[in-house]
């Protein structure tokens, strides 16, 4: 029997109840100009108003000038999207922690369970591991977030889809320079140029970011570059060339904290991190091209990309563990990854009978090959945190081939949508380190799954749409998760998890200036991939039984008049193990998933070109392991203030920003490391932090 989601304790919402109630109730008072539904392509693959789609999809617009963010992490801009939890872990060696309706919450590093895409090019590998750090927010125009059943038509690890779209080069050429700085030795500066000349659009950007870190031993430096060129060979075609890079050397990794250490000092670092000088270096370079051509009402889209990613990571695995186990892969991870992919789709539109049909057929092929080594993180008995003897040498190959079909038939007041994708994912391991005590771990495994989705939208009136959708998805283990077992060797027996999702919702306008979205959903998953245990500095995984997620999402946005506007979101999510497995009884909460997430803001534009706002953020407590028997990360509520201004003088444009985060200097745990074998589950959030910045641009006429 399925259980109805339990209501949260009223006390859990008190820290932000006044702000949330105001933000959600205020739209009923609004009477000024309309709030327009943004046009999105995620889900449908064709430009459609988000108001007219039978699933939950949101677009976050990013302004070019007067930005009130640092634009370093997507956690800065996705806080208002319901169902999404994006945490800046204050650890640039491990990337962000991103979950969508609970998918992705188990990720100890990188992104799992959520598909990342930038300008049509996947930022997620064929095995499902993604890197949000490659997103360039300085050149982004918008980010679209797809949740629910229709995300499954993006294949493996598509519990949700986060897609970034960069700006096109348009208008007179412009040159831009910016600088932002603030707490914790944070500094970012950049140069950019964009515009159009002789029919060629261009967007160029380069930036440098550095920080001492909010915690001890958490400094980082990051250099990013981006280039986008667009041309129209003729009136029916368009060619886009893309290139980007990220260079992040010797990033300190402060690891997580134990509960006792966090209670004593939230800025602390565990001694083992300093002992082994845990750190990570990343170098990422990629390029791609997309070509689009119209044939009457039809359209052909083709894309290709390729690149290389190199990572060297020094871990804190004790010397004694490696010495005592000849099958151990060592405490230094070192790999070079070559990756490439191809994609093509045909989009056609036809009037058929009483309706209009849009049909999309396509295929994606993605491949990544890792030349991977492991080394001891010591030399002799006293020199630690260095690259020592070889302990692992193999080539890991990941491929995915995914044909898909999507159709939308618009008939009167109804839109009927159907999509299906067949994914074939293959892992191959070529083990070249075969010595006494460490056998040959070579082998291969393939996963196949067909993931359908269907939805219907009913236009009850011009101001109200109702919808329902269902879908099935799957999630393979990542190559890293399958790399180890309790006894050593590759885990070829780890199965992919399978999910079934259902969602019903409404999208409505209230008056002329208010947009409200609401959705309820249920997700049933079999063979959920969970942490089985940790040993010798390694985490290994197993398949659980059934899990159940039931939730409610609300979002509102309105122009209140009197130069005031508001937006708010609220997520209630019950995520539990619906079947006992191992020593974990039925009913335990999934770790890493807050039951309640909320966001609200009130913005005021007192003068032309000036915007101020107050933001409220709330997260309920979060369990850190499957048994729920360790201290949960406590609930927290934060308030932030921001100010952005912009002035124009002839061909010059000036922008300024000021942010004060965590106004009341709350001590809180921003994210958790699920199932950490050493009990270092907790990653503290920063205290009160002040940032300011300026930007100037010049237009060449």
């Amino acid at each position: 029997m399925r259980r109805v989601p339990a209501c949260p304790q009223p006390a859990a919402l008190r820290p932000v109840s006044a702000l949330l109630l105001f933000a959600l109730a205020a739209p009923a008072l609004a009477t000024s100009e309309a709030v327009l539904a943004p046009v999105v392509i995620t889900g449908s693959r064709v430009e459609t108003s988000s108001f007219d789609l039978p699933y939950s999809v949101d677009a976050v617009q990013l302004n070019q000038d007067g930005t009130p963010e640092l634009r370093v992490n997507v956690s800065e801009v996705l806080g208002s999207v319901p169902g999404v939890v994006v945490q800046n872990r204050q650890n640039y060696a491990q990337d962000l922690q991103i979950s969508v309706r609970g998918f992705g919450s188990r990720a100890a590093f990188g992104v799992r369970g959520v598909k990342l895409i930038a300008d049509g090019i996947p930022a997620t590998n064929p095995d499902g591991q993604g890197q949000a750090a490659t997103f360039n927010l300085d050149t982004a125009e918008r980010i679209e977030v797809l949740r629910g059943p229709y995300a499954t038509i993006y294949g493996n690890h598509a519990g949700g889809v986060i897609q970034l779209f960069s700006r096109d080069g348009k208008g007179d050429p412009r040159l831009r320079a910016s600088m932002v700085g603030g707490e914790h030795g944070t500094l970012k500066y950049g140069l950019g140029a964009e515009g159009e000349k002789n029919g060629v659009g261009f967007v160029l950007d380069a930036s440098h970011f550095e920080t001492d870190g909010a915690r001890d031993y958490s400094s980082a430096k990051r250099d990013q570059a981006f280039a986008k060129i667009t041309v129209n060979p003729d009136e029916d075609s368009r060619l886009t060339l893309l290139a980007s890079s990220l260079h992040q050397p010797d990033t300190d990794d402060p690891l997580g904290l134990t509960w006792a250490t966090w209670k004593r000092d939230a800025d602390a670092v565990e001694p083992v991190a300093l002992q082994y000088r845990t750190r990570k270096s990343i170098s990422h370079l990629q390029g791609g091209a997309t070509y689009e051509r119209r044939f009457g009402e039809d359209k052909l889209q083709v894309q290709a990309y390729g690149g290389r990613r190199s990572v060297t990571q020094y871990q804190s695995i004790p010397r004694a563990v490696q010495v005592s186990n000849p099958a151990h892969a060592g405490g230094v991870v070192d790999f070079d990854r070559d990756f490439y992919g191809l994609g093509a789709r045909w989009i056609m539109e036809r009037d058929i009978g009483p309706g209009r049909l849009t049909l999309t057929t396509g295929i994606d092929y993605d491949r990544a090959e890792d030349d991977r080594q492991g080394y001891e993180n010591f030399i002799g008995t006293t020199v630690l945190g260095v690259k020592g003897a070889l302990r692992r040498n193999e080539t890991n190959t990941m491929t995915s081939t995914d044909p898909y079909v999507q159709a939308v038939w618009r008939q009167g007041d109804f839109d009927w949508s159907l999509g299906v994708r067949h994914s074939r994912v293959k892992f191959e391991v070529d083990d070249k380190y075969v010595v006494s005590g460490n056998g040959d771990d070579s082998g291969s495994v393939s996963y196949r799954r067909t993931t359908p989705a269907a939805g219907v939208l009913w236009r009850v009136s011009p101001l109200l749409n109702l919808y329902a959708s269902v879908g099935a998805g799957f999630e393979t283990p990542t190559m890293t998760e399958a790399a180890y077992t309790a006894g050593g060797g590759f885990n070829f027996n780890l199965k992919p998890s399978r999910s079934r999702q259902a969602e019903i919702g409404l999208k409505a306008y209230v008056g002329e200036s208010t947009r409200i979205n609401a959705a309820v959903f249920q997700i049933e998953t079999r063979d959920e991939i969970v942490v089985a245990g940790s040993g010798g500095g390694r985490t290994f995984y197993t398949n659980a039984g059934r899990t159940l997620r039931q939730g409610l999402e609300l979002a509102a946005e309105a122009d209140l008049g009197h130069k005031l506007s508001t937006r708010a979101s609220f997520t209630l999510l019950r995520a539990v193990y619906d079947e006992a497995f191992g020593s974990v009884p039925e009913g335990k909460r999934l770790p890493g998933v807050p039951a309640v997430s909320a966001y609200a803001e009130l913005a005021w534009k007192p003068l032309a070109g000036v915007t101020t706002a107050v933001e409220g953020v709330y997260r309920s407590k979060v369990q850190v392991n499957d048994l729920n028997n360790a201290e949960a990360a406590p609930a927290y509520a934060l308030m932030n203030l921001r100010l952005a201004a912009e002035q124009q003088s002839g061909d010059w444009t000036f922008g300024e920003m000021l942010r004060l985060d965590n106004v009341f200097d709350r001590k809180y745990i921003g994210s958790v490391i699920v199932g950490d074998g050493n009990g270092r589950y907790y990653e503290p959030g920063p205290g009160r932090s002040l940032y300011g910045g300026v930007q100037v641009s010049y237009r060449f006429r």
Side-chain angles (χ1 to χ4, degrees):
M1 176 180 293
R2 300 295 178 221
R3 292 169 293 280
V4 176
C7 294
Q9 294 294 322
L13 293 176
R14 286 175 192 156
V16 290
S17 59
L19 183 58
L20 288 173
L21 287 173
F22 172 77
L24 290 170
L29 308 175
T31 58
S32 61
E33 66 182 83
V35 177
L36 300 178
V39 172
V40 298
I41 70 168
T42 305
S44 64
R45 302 185 189 272
V46 295
E47 292 187 351
T48 309
S49 167
S50 64
F51 187 72
D52 294 318
L53 291 170
Y55 40 79
S56 297
V57 59
D58 290 89
V60 178
Q61 300 292 329
L62 282 80
N63 297 322
Q64 178 183 351
D65 298 311
T67 173
E69 302 96 13
L70 278 72
R71 300 229 171 158
V72 176
N73 302 295
V74 294
S75 56
E76 303 171 50
V77 297
L78 294 184
S80 63
V81 180
V84 179
V85 177
V86 186
Q87 299 288 10
N88 182 352
R89 305 173 63 179
Q90 306 303 315
N91 183 349
Y92 288 91
Q94 303 295 352
D95 212 337
L96 302 178
Q97 189 177 76
I98 301 177
S99 65
V100 176
R101 293 184 176 178
F103 288 103
S105 60
R106 77 173 188 273
F109 59 91
V111 178
R112 313 282 198 280
V114 179
K115 184 81 77 173
L116 304 177
I117 305 171
D119 289 315
I121 295 174
T124 297
N125 295 329
D127 67 337
Q129 181 176 325
Q131 294 84 31
T134 59
F135 280 6
N136 190 315
L137 299 184
D138 289 325
T139 59
E141 179 180 65
R142 71 186 189 279
I143 298 177
E144 297 178 5
V145 182
L146 171 63
R147 311 177 300 286
Y150 247 78
T152 64
I153 60 175
Y154 284 82
N156 183 27
H157 279 259
V161 180
I162 299 177
Q163 187 162 193
L164 178 145
F165 297 87
S166 62
R167 297 188 299 272
D168 289 338
K170 296 179 180 178
D172 295 327
R174 302 175 298 284
L175 187 65
R176 169 179 49 83
S178 62
M179 179 175 290
V180 180
E183 301 286 344
H184 320 301
T186 299
L187 175 65
K188 180 184 176 184
Y189 52 85
L191 285 173
E194 62 185 274
E196 184 178 4
K197 190 70 173 179
N198 299 324
V200 178
F202 62 93
V203 178
L204 307 174
D205 183 80
S207 65
H208 172 80
F209 166 77
E210 60 184 63
T211 180
D212 294 333
R215 295 173 55 193
D216 296 339
Y217 193 69
S218 60
S219 66
K221 294 182 179 180
R222 178 187 293 175
D223 293 300
Q224 284 187 277
F226 177 87
K228 180 179 182 180
I229 306 295
T230 55
V231 295
N232 296 93
D234 56 52
E235 61 182 10
D236 294 319
S237 63
R238 174 185 175 88
L239 175 65
T240 302
L241 303 176
L242 298 155
S244 62
S245 69
L246 179 147
H247 182 60
Q248 190 172 306
D250 292 326
T251 303
D252 292 339
D253 185 352
L255 307 178
L257 298 179
T258 64
W259 179 258
T261 300
W262 178 74
K263 292 287 288 184
R264 183 182 71 252
D265 182 4
D267 295 331
V269 58
E270 299 291 356
V272 68
L274 301 177
Q275 184 182 17
Y276 284 91
R277 293 189 294 143
T278 50
R279 60 199 188 275
K280 189 175 186 178
S281 295
I282 305 169
S283 180
H284 185 101
L285 176 66
Q286 72 177 47
T290 62
Y291 177 75
E292 180 178 303
R293 185 172 185 84
R294 289 190 172 275
F295 298 87
E297 293 186 294
D298 301 342
K299 184 189 299 183
L300 172 67
Q301 296 175 338
V302 180
Q303 67 181 45
Y305 70 93
R308 165 165 279 213
R309 181 179 180 87
S310 299
V311 173
T312 303
Q313 181 178 8
Y314 290 79
Q315 301 173 307
S316 60
I317 299 172
R319 175 185 181 278
V321 170
Q322 301 169 63
V323 171
S324 63
N325 181 5
H328 200 284
V332 179
V333 176
D334 192 355
F335 71 83
D336 293 312
R337 173 178 299 149
D338 293 311
F339 58 90
Y340 64 87
L342 302 166
R345 70 178 63 97
W346 180 271
I347 303 172
M348 57 169 283
E349 295 190 60
R350 295 288 188 276
D351 291 322
I352 297 179
R356 185 166 181 82
L357 175 69
T358 300
L359 181 67
T360 302
T361 58
I363 186 169
D364 292 329
Y365 175 80
D366 302 287
R367 178 183 176 92
E369 182 175 290
D370 290 0
D371 181 15
R372 184 178 291 267
Q373 285 80 42
Y375 300 89
E376 294 172 347
N377 56 356
F378 61 88
I379 295 177
T381 59
T382 59
V383 182
L384 306 178
V386 296
K387 185 181 289 188
L390 181 70
R391 297 296 294 268
R392 181 181 186 182
N393 185 15
E394 63 191 40
T395 300
N396 299 332
T397 305
M398 301 155 279
T399 59
S400 65
T401 306
D402 292 39
Y404 58 89
V405 179
Q406 290 180 239
V408 179
W409 189 35
R410 296 174 177 84
Q411 180 192 23
D413 294 331
F414 291 88
D415 285 1
W416 306 89
S417 299
L418 178 66
V420 63
R421 185 182 185 108
H422 180 75
S423 298
R424 182 179 184 272
V425 181
K426 186 176 182 180
F427 295 172
E428 297 178 271
V429 178
D430 180 12
D431 189 357
K432 304 171 185 176
Y433 184 76
V434 182
V435 298
S436 177
N438 183 65
D440 190 347
D441 294 324
S442 298
S444 66
V445 60
S446 294
Y447 309 97
R448 294 180 176 86
R449 194 72 181 170
T450 299
T451 53
V456 58
L457 178 88
W458 177 27
R459 297 182 181 85
V460 180
S461 75
L463 301 179
L464 174 63
N465 287 344
L466 301 179
Y467 70 89
S469 59
V470 295
F474 85 121
E475 184 177 343
T476 70
T478 65
M479 182 67 80
T480 301
E481 290 167 340
Y484 308 104
T485 64
F490 197 87
N491 190 353
F492 289 108
N493 295 319
L494 193 58
K495 296 182 290 187
S497 63
R498 298 163 292 153
S499 63
R500 294 185 298 177
Q501 302 190 39
E503 174 185 61
I504 58 174
L506 66 84
K507 302 178 181 184
Y509 289 105
V510 179
E512 297 180 348
S513 61
T514 301
R515 166 81 181 270
I516 295 176
N517 294 341
V520 293
F521 59 88
Q522 177 166 297
I523 305 168
E524 297 175 326
T525 302
R526 291 182 179 271
D527 297 322
E528 186 96 24
I529 299 171
V530 299
V531 174
S534 297
R538 298 298 185 194
T539 300
F540 44 95
Y541 295 81
T542 188
N543 293 106
R546 295 195 305 265
T547 62
L548 177 66
R549 299 175 177 91
Q550 297 169 315
L552 165 70
E553 294 174 357
L554 297 171
E557 183 176 2
D559 184 339
L560 305 177
H562 306 290
K563 301 180 181 180
L564 292 171
S565 64
T566 184
R567 58 177 175 160
S569 64
F570 174 84
T571 303
L572 178 65
L573 177 59
R574 178 175 178 269
V576 298
Y577 289 109
D578 206 34
E579 182 179 52
F581 73 98
S583 61
V584 180
E586 177 185 351
K588 292 296 183 180
R589 290 198 62 91
L590 268 64
V593 183
V596 179
S597 301
Y599 174 92
E601 75 171 42
L602 180 65
W604 180 41
K605 295 183 178 181
L607 301 169
V610 177
T611 302
T612 64
V614 56
E615 305 168 354
V617 179
Y618 175 79
R619 296 280 187 273
S620 64
K621 70 177 183 179
V622 175
Q623 299 294 337
V624 299
N625 63 7
D626 293 324
L627 286 170
N628 299 175
N629 61 358
E631 293 283 353
Y636 65 87
L638 305 177
M639 179 174 287
N640 309 319
L641 301 174
R642 70 175 194 256
L643 169 68
E646 182 180 305
Q647 309 87 39
Q648 290 188 340
S649 177
D651 293 325
W652 292 91
T653 301
F654 303 92
E656 302 83 29
M657 64 82 72
L658 192 66
R659 282 195 66 92
L660 181 62
D661 291 336
N662 193 359
V663 173
F664 299 110
D665 199 24
R666 302 296 190 195
K667 179 180 179 180
Y668 70 103
I669 294 171
S671 59
V672 300
I673 304 172
V674 171
D676 185 88
N678 299 293
R680 298 192 290 260
Y681 302 112
Y682 311 100
E683 297 182 299
R688 184 186 297 116
S689 303
L690 179 65
Y691 303 96
V694 295
Q695 180 171 284
V696 59
S697 65
Y698 181 79
R699 182 184 301 269
F700 296 88
R701 298 182 187 274

